[in-house]
Amino acid sequence: MSVSGGHVPGSVLAKVEAFAGLGPDARAALQAGAQLVTVRGGELLVRHGEDADTLYIVATGRFHVILPGARVVAEIEAGEPIGELAFFAGGTRTADVRAARDSTVFALTRETWREVTDAHREIADAILAEIARRLARTTAQSAAMPAKPGRVVALLAAGASRIPEGLPQRLAEALAHYESVRLVSPADLPEGLAPGSESFGSWIAGLEASGPARILLVGSGDEDESWNRAIARNADDLLLTAPLGAADAALSPLEDYALPRFREDDRTLVLWRDRAAQPIGGSGPWLDARGVKLHHHVALDAPATIARVARFIAGRANGVVLAGGGALGCAHLGVMQALIEAGVPIDFYGGTSAGAAMAGALAMGLTAEETLAQMQEMFITRKAMRRVTIPVHSFLDARVFDEQLRTRYSDRDIADLPSSYFAVSTNLSTNRVHVHRRGPLWEAVRASGSLPTILPPFVTASGDVLIDGGVLDNVPVEIMRSAKAGPNVVVALHANAGAAWRIEACYGDVRTPWELFRDIVLRRKPARAFPSIVEIMTRAMVVGSEAGAEGALAKADVLLIPPIPEGMQILDWHLGAQVAEAARGFTAEAIAQRPELAAMKAP
């Protein structure tokens, strides 16, 4: 690295986009103060940990930003600043910056920067504008922000209904197990303070500053429009309540006023019924009109359902994310059984492929034992995936499989499940992940588990072609994190982890069509078996899903990888009970040893 003498040539300075709009005097001052530094390709311009006493601006060439561990995280090109945040903050360098090729930079010491910017403010404005552009590009490429509950919540009735008597108090009592809470109703309004006044917002801010972690502003059942509108204007989140069995789900005038004031991510609907024994149905019309992010089913005679809503409000809802893996997914059932037996309530189920099937059954209200029995009936007794067909659309005939799914999961809308649920499939029509939150449950399970080439793809009413979710997202942690705040247990499935797949056959053992026909008719197995279509496809799925799962697993609050019997394959359903029991014991030990799991228990 070498520093040129004298000032920076004006012709070089003019090529930098950030300085293109500078006047001649400002450019001349910058020319005189900056030094032109030449950096050869491969040389370090900036070292991690050193003082950030110089601001660099790339004149020509390109640089790589390298974190400890040699991971390249950014590329800096001509016209862009280097090390600007640490320079302005007066800190130390947070990464190495190496020239990707022979490059030149302008170097401005802190003293020089002060001199030229004191005299020419437009120079600082030009640099700050470039920093803003870079941050905008970074923001546009950022992942979605994890869900975060609002501190002030407005509780209002939906449609022509009223908030059930006592529900706000019971909700506050449940919340108090997790955090401090204050319930605020019209009776708490100071004398002389009108809800429509400008001082109302200051009053709410004062309540917030007084210390409670959560404030519930309760809507008036006396048609007090000014109060209801005022709390809608002064809340972070909107929590609507509606009677599940009501015939009229039309928006009320209050909702017409309140809903546009909240992002969809900040709207929740509680659908209540008097008794837990009443069946759940008819959620769709209430949801369609309101565009809420989440909805919950509450039975007024079941305190556990109210406690579940409280955990969502507090950002303490427990989620489980179940990976795909065919018969290996029976391990999910052992994990869930151990969690429930230990008193860990599950508030949100999500999964891919086999994980979506297990999660769907549990979200329906089946126990782990009932779900395991259902899987064994489907795949062992009914042989749902043992029927081959002419391999035009798929290798297997899916008719028995589809019939079993319809029978066991039904056309029930996902919105009518007692627990929150999502499934993930891969949309070949859009080349994106498809998240199932509405529609028939059996279709979501079928689409999520449509192993490519082994089963026909699922085609939606709108013509989208859906295949197994494991192709793009076998461990959908990010989807769960964006849906809700709170801890998530992620169950990954690794059969023969770390073991290489070796076979005895060689390439010359590939059988001719005649040999295949003969062996099928005579039910004869070759001495050295060559991999089948099913084996090749499932192994390819494992390679693809595990390659993309590393980042997802790192975002798990609790990662569990239960043991899988050696040699178990994704169609070995006869080993389901064995793998479930092993996973149950494994999880029970983890609960005893890992405080983050114990912290998820209900109070």
Side-chain angles (χ1 to χ4, degrees):
M1 187 167 61
S2 62
V3 180
S4 66
H7 62 266
V8 176
S11 59
V12 176
L13 190 64
K15 295 178 181 179
V16 180
E17 182 179 353
F19 302 141
L22 293 180
D25 291 342
R27 190 175 296 175
L30 193 59
Q31 266 182 253
Q35 291 181 310
L36 186 64
V37 178
T38 300
V39 189
R40 293 190 176 275
E43 286 186 346
L44 284 177
L45 173 67
V46 165
R47 285 178 170 80
H48 176 270
E50 67 183 9
D51 290 338
D53 55 4
T54 304
L55 173 67
Y56 298 102
I57 301 158
V58 180
T60 61
R62 180 174 299 164
F63 291 81
H64 288 151
V65 179
I66 307 169
L67 293 180
R71 186 162 65 98
V72 177
V73 295
E75 199 172 67
I76 303 175
E77 299 181 339
E80 297 183 328
I82 293 176
E84 68 280 6
L85 297 181
F87 176 80
F88 290 124
T92 58
R93 306 296 188 187
T94 58
D96 291 339
V97 179
R98 177 178 284 119
R101 60 174 187 258
D102 289 352
S103 306
T104 57
V105 297
F106 303 128
L108 286 163
T109 65
R110 193 174 303 281
E111 182 179 354
T112 303
W113 171 259
R114 290 195 184 102
E115 290 176 357
V116 297
T117 55
D118 284 346
H120 302 279
R121 178 61 195 176
E122 61 266 41
I123 296 175
D125 292 340
I127 293 294
L128 292 174
E130 181 55 38
I131 294 171
R133 284 191 289 270
R134 180 189 292 183
L135 290 175
R137 290 194 296 270
T138 302
T139 301
Q141 297 169 1
S142 298
M145 182 178 69
K148 182 181 180 181
R151 188 174 174 191
V152 181
V153 181
L155 182 59
L156 298 172
S161 67
R162 290 174 177 265
I163 299 172
E165 185 176 355
L167 179 59
Q169 291 75 20
R170 296 175 68 185
L171 196 54
E173 290 171 5
L175 260 173
H177 289 295
Y178 300 98
E179 61 186 16
S180 59
V181 59
R182 177 159 182 177
L183 206 60
V184 181
S185 67
D188 298 301
L189 194 64
E191 187 176 351
L193 179 61
S197 68
E198 293 182 2
S199 300
F200 185 85
S202 299
W203 177 62
I204 296 295
L207 294 178
E208 188 177 6
S210 65
R214 208 76 50 186
I215 296 175
L216 293 184
L217 306 176
V218 184
S220 170
D222 300 321
E223 306 302 326
D224 188 342
E225 182 179 357
S226 61
W227 169 266
N228 290 335
R229 290 193 171 204
I231 65 175
R233 290 195 307 272
N234 288 278
D236 304 312
D237 289 352
L238 176 63
L239 185 66
L240 296 170
T241 67
L244 186 61
D248 184 8
L251 292 175
S252 67
L254 174 60
E255 289 179 288
D256 284 331
Y257 175 83
L259 283 168
R261 285 168 165 73
F262 296 88
R263 300 180 308 147
E264 181 175 320
D265 283 359
D266 301 327
R267 304 176 197 158
T268 298
L269 177 64
V270 171
L271 294 167
W272 59 269
R273 60 198 193 281
D274 290 318
R275 298 180 306 280
Q278 294 174 252
I280 300 174
S283 305
W286 288 103
L287 296 172
D288 293 338
R290 286 161 180 82
V292 298
K293 180 181 183 181
L294 292 174
H295 72 283
H296 311 297
H297 292 285
V298 163
L300 299 181
D301 66 344
T305 62
I306 297 174
R308 181 172 65 239
V309 177
R311 285 191 290 274
F312 276 95
I313 294 174
R316 297 284 298 276
N318 296 329
V320 293
V321 179
L322 308 181
L328 279 61
C330 292
H332 294 316
L333 303 176
V335 172
M336 293 301 101
Q337 187 172 356
L339 291 174
I340 293 169
E341 289 174 348
V344 176
I346 306 302
D347 302 309
F348 207 138
Y349 295 90
T352 296
S353 196
M358 306 302 176
L362 296 167
M364 288 172 61
L366 296 184
T367 65
E369 296 95 328
E370 290 169 338
T371 304
L372 179 60
Q374 174 172 279
M375 296 298 166
Q376 290 177 325
E377 173 72 13
M378 287 177 59
F379 295 107
I380 298 176
T381 305
R382 301 291 182 180
K383 299 180 179 179
M385 293 186 70
R386 294 289 184 181
R387 299 169 185 265
V388 299
T389 186
I390 299 173
V392 174
H393 307 298
S394 65
F395 182 68
L396 296 181
D397 182 348
R399 287 176 297 174
V400 176
F401 183 48
D402 291 352
E403 178 189 1
Q404 288 293 307
L405 291 180
R406 279 197 188 95
T407 300
R408 301 181 186 284
Y409 290 94
S410 78
D411 288 321
R412 185 179 190 178
D413 189 347
I414 292 172
D416 290 329
L417 297 179
S419 296
S420 297
Y421 167 81
F422 72 82
V424 170
S425 63
T426 298
N427 191 325
L428 294 183
S429 301
T430 62
N431 300 327
R432 294 181 179 177
V433 167
H434 187 99
V435 182
H436 301 261
R437 291 294 311 277
R438 294 289 303 277
L441 177 60
W442 88 266
E443 291 185 0
V445 174
R446 173 64 175 81
S448 186
S450 297
L451 291 165
T453 73
I454 296 174
L455 288 169
F458 186 84
V459 182
T460 68
S462 59
D464 285 349
V465 180
L466 308 180
I467 62 171
D468 195 290
V471 172
L472 287 182
D473 196 352
N474 199 45
V475 191
V477 181
E478 197 62 48
I479 294 171
M480 181 67 82
R481 292 178 76 238
S482 65
K484 68 158 194 69
N488 298 309
V489 176
V490 177
V491 187
L493 304 172
H494 299 300
N496 304 319
W501 186 32
R502 298 281 190 267
I503 63 172
E504 295 181 357
C506 61
Y507 185 68
D509 291 323
V510 176
R511 288 173 284 176
T512 65
W514 162 247
E515 290 170 334
L516 285 168
F517 176 76
R518 178 200 64 197
D519 291 345
I520 290 172
V521 171
L522 299 177
R523 297 185 177 181
R524 188 167 67 185
K525 293 183 178 180
R528 297 188 301 184
F530 200 82
S532 68
I533 291 176
V534 174
E535 288 176 314
I536 295 168
M537 192 63 238
T538 54
R539 284 282 176 171
M541 287 282 295
V542 168
V543 171
S545 63
E546 292 201 1
E550 184 177 345
L553 295 180
K555 297 176 182 178
D557 298 288
V558 180
L559 174 61
L560 297 176
I561 306 177
I564 304 296
E566 185 175 355
M568 183 177 181
Q569 302 297 321
I570 68 167
L571 296 182
D572 289 342
W573 293 97
H574 62 285
L575 297 176
Q578 178 184 339
V579 73
E581 185 56 34
R584 180 184 179 186
F586 165 83
T587 306
E589 290 183 11
I591 294 170
Q593 298 171 2
R594 299 175 63 173
E596 65 270 30
L597 273 172
M600 296 173 68
K601 294 182 181 181

